[in-house]
Amino acid sequence: MTVYFVASEAFPFVKTGGLADVAGSLPRYLQKSGVNISVILPCYAQIDQKRFELDNTGLEVAVRPGDPETCFRVLSCRYREIRFYFLHNESLFFREEIYGDYADNGLRFGLFSHAAIMLAEKIGKPDIWHLNDWHTALIPYLLIKKYGHDSKTVLTIHNLGYQGVFSKKIVDELGLLWEDFTLDCMEFYGRINFLKTGIAMADRITTVSPTYAEEMQTEALGANLNGHISAHAHKLTGILNGLDSEEWNPESDSHLDSHFGLDTYENKKLIKKNIILELGLKNPEKPLFVFIGRFVSQKGIAFITETFKLLQQIGFNMAIIGEGAFRYRDFFAKLLTTYENVYVYLGYEESLSRKLYAASDFLLMPSLYEPCGLNQIIAMRYGSVPIVRKTGGLNDTVADFEAIDQEFSGPRGLGIVFEGLEVDSFLVAVMRALMLYGMKDEFDRVVKFNMTREFSWQDSAKKYISEYNHLKG
Ligand code: ADP
């Protein structure tokens, strides 16, 4: 079976969040199970062509949905057994940011979607197209309505908060059909919605956790698409993301100066001590809390900003690393200059993030919603106890630590779990974390329990393959 996996980012080439982790690892697990898979990405300026030895295939695709023709050169490389194709057009994808707030984002990813199909016309059509998020969600529509291909399609929704909504003038620019600018296909409050179109046209829809598959059908978390999703619920499945256990391994992570596993767990304490010194924090015996992620309201950052003064009184170290909304960057930048027990790094920094997973005692992840979330899974693997709100993938991967002696089903570890939206619930969770930290034996037991949990892709890859098989008939 041949599958083309099309995404807007993939680790290690280019990454802003969890989608890149998935696109950089799931294909390898699918291939190991016998699927012949290639990954198609835009070629951004941020991709290090030398380091990854991208070759020019000599192929070119010319897309002419509207009037001017847009050409893409096709670059390619093999990375860890997988064939990657990069569609190269400088004026569309050589920008300061990979997504950014660019007025032509709809056109950029719409043309990329056309080009991916044109590439298939040159190198061979797959049995299945596996598409990811709004950036590639027009492909099911284009395959049927513009190109007349009969390949099957699976669309994975990694985050319903981002739908690709643009002015309807793009209908002409992308050569779409006005007859499909309807309420049950493209139209969304007078504009075009790429993700909505993909949901209408894909043969199967998956999302990244079973709980989120339910939540996205509710008014509270359905981001105005709950009705549309419910109408297509017969095509929808929630498949939990896995973790690339070779890439994320505290026993061998190349970003760490020293390593640890269950038998060498004491090294984790050493790593913590070193990082506390390195970052200019004090008192390594105090618990180290970290926040690693995008500064967007989805991540529940307001829980931290609103309670910070109170939290200050309880004595701990905190390291925050992330980038995003100005109001949060500004808040954290001020903390850095005000408090000596707070370290803040504004930006994306892979190496530091891994050191913080390894060094920390607790990961703060109080998300308002979380389709799957990888941070909490990485944290558990690296011996950091996640403090999570009970939602989406956090609900499917983290059980409250008080359940340690109960029977476990599925790939869950332990953390501090809270419900509700009141800051008090978050404060109680932090207090419970401190209490756990004070009970050294119990704390170590929770950490070690988490480090033995299996969060690998194996089971989830099987579920994707059964989706593919079902479609292939
Ligand atoms: P999302 O995709 O919503 O951003 P996930 O939890 O699914 O969240 O995945 C986040 C991924 O991005 C994790 O691998 C996390 O370690 C990484 N990450 C997020 N922010 C940063 C940052 N500032 N520096 C380094 N890694 C980051």
Side-chain angles (χ1 to χ4, degrees), residues 15 17-19 21 248 292-294 299 321-322 347-350 353 357 365 370 373-375 378:
K15 168 171 164 180
L19 168 59
D21 288 314
W248 295 97
I292 299 167
R294 295 177 298 118
K299 298 291 174 186
I321 158 168
Y348 183 90
E349 229 287 307
E350 184 74 29
S353 77
Y357 284 120
M365 200 164 177
E370 194 58 71
L374 277 173
N375 298 41
I378 301 169

Side-chain angles (χ1 to χ4, degrees), residues 6-8 109-110 112-113 117 130-143 153-157 162-164 176 185-186 193-202:
V6 195
S8 55
F109 289 99
F112 167 69
S113 299
I117 299 173
H130 190 152
L131 314 159
N132 296 277
D133 278 350
W134 72 262
H135 313 86
T136 55
L138 282 187
I139 289 179
Y141 174 88
L142 295 172
L143 285 168
T153 51
V154 176
L155 170 65
T156 298
I157 301 173
Y162 304 88
Q163 299 176 6
L176 314 177
C185 189
M186 288 178 198
N193 184 320
F194 283 21
L195 191 65
K196 183 178 178 193
T197 312
I199 292 167
M201 301 301 286

Side-chain angles (χ1 to χ4, degrees), residues 9 15-22 158-159 162 241 243 248 291-296 298-299 321-323 345-354 357 365 369-376 378:
E9 55 180 280
K15 168 171 164 180
T16 69
L19 168 59
D21 288 314
V22 174
H158 298 260
N159 191 336
Y162 304 88
N241 281 341
L243 189 69
W248 295 97
F291 175 89
I292 299 167
R294 295 177 298 118
F295 293 161
V296 288
Q298 177 208 332
K299 298 291 174 186
I321 158 168
E323 57 188 346
Y345 179 90
L346 298 178
Y348 183 90
E349 229 287 307
E350 184 74 29
S351 195
L352 178 61
S353 77
R354 287 169 184 253
Y357 284 120
M365 200 164 177
Y369 75 94
E370 194 58 71
C372 177
L374 277 173
N375 298 41
Q376 81 282 12
I378 301 169

